[in-house]
Amino acid sequence: MTTDLTTLLDDVLRRNAGEPEFHQAAREVFDSLGPVIARNPRYAEAAVLERLCEPERQIIFRVPWTDDAGRVQINRGFRVEFNSALGPFKGGLRFHPTVTLGTVKFLGFEQIFKNALTGLPIGGGKGGSDFDPKGKSDAEVMRFCQSFMTELYRHLGEYTDVPAGDIGVGGREIGYLFGQYKRITNRYESGVLTGKGIGWGGSLVRTEATGFGAVVFADRMLSTRGRSFDGARVLVSGSGNVAIYAIQKVQQLGGTVVACSDSSGVVYDRDGLDLDLLREIKEQRRGRLSDYADARGTASDYRAGGDIWALAAETTIDVAIPCATQNELGGDAARTLASNGVAAVVEGANMPCTPEAVKVLTAAGVLFAPGKAANAGGVATSALEMQQNASRDAWSFDYAESRLAEIMVGIHDRCAETADEYGAPGDYVLGANIAGFTRVADAMIAMGVI
Ligand code: GLU
């Protein structure tokens, strides 16, 4: 990093004290930008990076609601509207007890570059709450969502800010949020939220998009080394929406996913996971992986508290796709994967690999796809949902999936070509950061100092 960039980064860290994930995300981007700033002095002259690191608007609000026992509960709501140079703020809402302003800022910052990489007209934002949907009744989740939207609605709009789901926010929550927005505003504004139900403005393939897209990206990346998913053995961490559809796409491409995980443990099915059963337990019953293992019997080896990446030392693994949460794959796990011949690590979640893990993997020559490129399929399909809403149209599954695949291949190739152009072939982190940055930066410069 140049001295100018180091000074600038130090300033960002100082001004945003106590936000380690945001620091991590910012440092990773700054690490890549030296060559592009050197080639284009106008970026420094227009203070683009300084402006990019300061969200356009940050909203923090109280979310009071009443639980089933009649007790008043208080949570904190966030929306960080990071950058709208390319389109309305766009990004999901995360409901999880660990959510803080720093978490939302890291996710929002990543989202700027991810959304730019899609080539679609969407800016970057993110939101959420420290509300924990786990163990809550439907009625409690509804009351929480209604209260959350009662405050947030004034900041949203199809041309202003368009939230969607993330961890803890799926179809059920989007339904309650949309209902409350519609009620308060007296407008059926379909394009204000994405991830809606298929019968009321949602897009086919949106549910599958993040997992499918990550695997399409991975497939394209593997092909640069003459490899494919056909016959590959794969680890997919997590067992939520991203993981489930990553598993499905790997299976469709002829690979075998032998393990997945949740916060309590790992299931290892040496001959491959039973996706129908997994979906039934997770999507219909909102159950745990231990329930999956019980139902699967001897075909499944459940390891309470286990580490999914350690399996690479036990059985042949070709590809690892972390789809759970940030910093879930550290240096030791990366060493296990690299020393056991894993060909590629593809981030399905946002920033699941620690900086040390990324260093270990790339030094060992393992192909590495950063989340802001590999998991962009979700938000890209959200933008396709917005297109359908704007034209009051509904596309077929096949058409929506073909658009998604085209976008993912485009992102892959843009990252790879940018890395080549900057003399770092195969460096998808550098390629993604520079390609995302230049698109946003050029738009910001065109729009003047705002
Ligand atoms: N939460 C997803 C992401 O991390 C999707 C956001 C969206 O669809 O707006 O990109």
Side-chain angles (χ1 to χ4, degrees):
M1 215 186 286
T2 62
T3 0
D4 285 357
L5 279 173
T6 308
T7 313
L8 218 156
L9 179 62
D10 285 347
D11 207 39
V12 171
L13 305 191
R14 184 185 55 75
R15 283 161 55 83
N16 298 279
E19 297 175 354
E21 292 102 343
F22 178 50
H23 295 181
Q24 185 182 331
R27 183 174 284 117
E28 190 233 75
V29 169
F30 275 64
D31 269 340
S32 300
L33 293 184
V36 73
I37 306 269
R39 273 195 207 179
N40 302 279
R42 67 177 188 282
Y43 293 143
E45 282 154 26
V48 170
L49 211 41
E50 289 89 328
R51 283 193 273 156
L52 259 175
C53 291
E54 189 66 24
E56 289 182 31
R57 188 177 295 112
Q58 306 185 58
I59 304 143
I60 305 181
F61 51 99
R62 178 170 67 200
V63 189
W65 56 282
T66 308
D67 67 20
D68 287 345
R71 282 185 302 256
V72 175
Q73 303 282 345
I74 303 296
N75 285 101
R76 190 172 289 170
F78 304 94
R79 186 74 182 163
V80 174
E81 298 183 332
F82 232 115
N83 193 292
S84 62
L86 296 176
F89 303 106
K90 182 81 196 88
L93 299 170
R94 177 175 292 191
F95 292 170
H96 193 273
T98 59
V99 166
T100 61
L101 178 62
T103 325
V104 178
K105 278 169 72 179
F106 121 64
L107 291 163
F109 188 70
E110 290 279 290
Q111 201 83 42
I112 304 172
F113 302 92
K114 182 195 306 195
N115 294 5
L117 279 172
T118 66
L120 297 165
I122 39 179
K126 201 86 187 192
S129 174
D130 58 359
F131 173 73
D132 186 0
K134 215 180 275 169
K136 303 287 189 301
S137 70
D138 283 353
E140 288 175 323
V141 170
M142 181 180 76
R143 287 194 294 273
F144 173 80
C145 288
Q146 290 177 337
S147 180
F148 186 87
M149 186 52 91
T150 299
E151 179 59 34
L152 191 62
Y153 87 95
R154 70 192 83 245
H155 301 287
L156 306 183
E158 63 175 319
Y159 298 112
T160 310
D161 185 350
V162 182
D166 196 84
I167 294 172
V169 178
R172 172 181 61 172
E173 290 74 18
I174 293 294
Y176 295 146
L177 291 164
F178 185 76
Q180 186 71 353
Y181 182 86
K182 183 174 81 61
R183 187 178 190 197
I184 295 174
T185 60
N186 193 32
R187 282 162 63 87
Y188 203 109
E189 191 184 333
S190 299
V192 73
L193 287 172
T194 60
K196 299 181 292 297
I198 299 307
W200 46 278
S203 173
L204 288 167
V205 190
R206 176 61 191 88
T207 309
E208 295 85 351
T210 312
F212 274 21
V215 175
V216 171
F217 188 102
D219 193 42
R220 183 84 172 171
M221 186 167 82
L222 287 170
S223 76
T224 64
R225 299 230 175 131
R227 300 185 61 145
S228 77
F229 275 106
D230 197 20
R233 287 171 64 81
V234 181
L235 297 175
V236 173
S237 66
S239 47
N241 170 266
V242 181
I244 284 176
Y245 294 99
I247 295 169
Q248 184 173 333
K249 188 50 85 183
V250 170
Q251 292 182 346
Q252 281 174 8
L253 296 179
T256 304
V257 180
V258 296
C260 68
S261 60
D262 65 13
S263 53
S264 309
V266 175
V267 282
Y268 170 42
D269 295 9
R270 69 182 64 244
D271 297 323
L273 297 172
D274 178 341
L275 184 59
D276 291 337
L277 178 65
L278 182 65
R279 285 188 59 180
E280 188 196 314
I281 305 262
K282 296 296 297 188
E283 293 181 337
Q284 263 120 65
R285 294 198 233 157
R286 291 184 190 275
R288 309 285 303 161
L289 280 185
S290 50
D291 303 324
Y292 166 92
D294 288 345
R296 188 104 160 98
T298 52
S300 196
D301 174 2
Y302 179 70
R303 300 175 181 190
D307 170 18
I308 187 168
W309 314 118
L311 284 168
E314 239 179 85
T315 183
T316 305
I317 297 298
D318 301 292
V319 182
I321 315 182
C323 297
T325 195
Q326 65 268 17
N327 294 327
E328 57 162 305
L329 195 165
D332 289 343
R335 277 180 278 277
T336 306
L337 296 174
S339 61
N340 287 287
V342 168
V345 175
V346 180
E347 292 191 324
N350 290 310
M351 210 170 73
C353 296
T354 65
E356 188 195 353
V358 178
K359 213 175 281 170
V360 169
L361 295 169
T362 46
V366 176
L367 285 166
F368 175 72
K372 63 169 77 79
N375 77 27
V379 75
T381 310
S382 279
L384 302 182
E385 181 173 333
M386 292 162 73
Q387 275 186 42
Q388 292 168 76
N389 295 151
S391 58
R392 299 185 183 278
D393 197 0
W395 302 345
S396 70
F397 192 95
D398 287 351
Y399 180 65
E401 192 180 9
S402 70
R403 291 287 305 266
L404 167 64
E406 198 184 333
I407 291 166
M408 294 315 299
V409 168
I411 295 174
H412 172 278
D413 292 358
R414 208 165 300 139
C415 293
E417 282 157 19
T418 307
D420 286 347
E421 189 188 326
Y422 282 86
D427 186 341
Y428 288 86
V429 173
L430 183 119
N433 285 334
I434 293 186
F437 171 79
T438 48
R439 184 161 180 247
V440 184
D442 291 342
M444 287 174 70
I445 289 179
M447 291 177 200
V449 179
I450 55 168

